[in-house]
Amino acid sequence: MPGHTENDITIAAPLDLVWDITNDIENWPQLFSEYASVEVLSREGDKTTFRLTMHPDDNGTVWSWVSERVVDRKNRSVRARRVETGPFAHMDIHWKYAEIPGGTSMHWTQDFAMKPDAPVDDKGMTELINRNSRIQMELIRDRIEQRDRELRSATVS
C-alpha cells in the first residue's frame, strides 16, 4: 500500500512571513536542519526545478534528488514532486497554509511509494517521514517565530 503522511503545525507569525520564509528555496539549508545545499536549476513562472542535497546520514550516505515545486500564493498552496525519484517510485508533496487566530497553520501532505529495492518499505518510510516532519516543522516554527519577534522589535525601535 502506498505511503501517505499528513503533518501540521501552528506558527505564531503572519501568513505572509511564513509563506515568504518557507518558500525561499535558496535559504532552505538555513531553515531545515537536514539539507546541506540547494541548487536552483530553472524557474518558469511559478515553477522551480531544484536539486536538494542532504547532510550525510548515519551510514555516511549523501542523498540528493531533483524536485519541481509550483507555488500558488493566491490559494496558499504549494505542490511538488520528485523528478529524480531515487528510492521512491513517486513522491508528491502538498503544502497548504491558512491564517488562523494567533498565526498561521502550515499543513504538509506527502503521497509516495517506495521502489521494491529501496532500503525501506512504504510503512517504514511513512514512519520516518512522520518523525522527521515533526522535527523539521518545530524547527521551522521556532525560526520563523524568532524572525517575527526580531522584525517586530525593529519596527518598535
Side-chain angles (χ1 to χ4, degrees):
M1 173 179 277
H4 174 84
T5 66
E6 293 197 40
N7 290 278
D8 59 74
I9 197 162
T10 298
I11 303 172
L15 184 128
D16 284 339
L17 182 64
V18 174
W19 177 273
D20 290 344
I21 291 174
T22 59
N23 287 292
D24 179 4
I25 295 170
E26 289 88 347
N27 193 49
W28 279 6
Q30 288 72 49
L31 187 62
F32 292 82
S33 64
E34 62 190 343
Y35 299 140
S37 66
V38 175
E39 177 188 4
V40 173
L41 303 173
S42 69
R43 290 189 194 275
E44 300 170 28
D46 291 331
K47 180 173 84 173
T48 303
T49 304
F50 58 100
R51 174 172 295 284
L52 273 176
T53 302
M54 297 182 78
H55 294 287
D57 66 16
D58 293 340
N59 298 320
T61 304
V62 175
W63 297 94
S64 181
W65 63 90
V66 173
S67 289
E68 288 179 348
R69 185 173 171 83
V70 178
V71 297
D72 181 354
R73 190 172 190 133
K74 180 182 172 200
N75 291 306
R76 302 171 177 168
S77 177
V78 178
R79 295 218 177 256
R81 69 178 186 91
R82 283 191 180 202
V83 177
E84 289 179 4
T85 58
F88 293 89
H90 70 88
M91 167 62 88
D92 299 304
I93 302 168
H94 182 213
W95 287 12
K96 189 84 175 142
Y97 302 79
E99 276 186 287
I100 59 171
T104 302
S105 169
M106 184 172 67
H107 186 93
W108 293 352
T109 303
Q110 292 173 277
D111 290 298
F112 59 92
M114 304 307 295
K115 291 179 179 173
D117 61 345
V120 65
D121 62 11
D122 293 341
K123 182 180 180 208
M125 184 55 73
T126 298
E127 292 168 3
L128 285 168
I129 289 173
N130 277 328
R131 183 171 50 249
N132 192 56
S133 290
R134 285 188 285 278
I135 291 167
Q136 296 304 313
M137 289 179 123
E138 289 171 3
L139 180 62
I140 290 167
R141 177 200 60 209
D142 295 348
R143 289 179 172 170
I144 293 174
E145 288 177 355
Q146 176 62 36
R147 181 70 181 132
D148 185 50
R149 285 190 296 273
E150 291 167 0
L151 291 170
R152 289 178 192 275
S153 68
T155 58
V156 172
S157 302

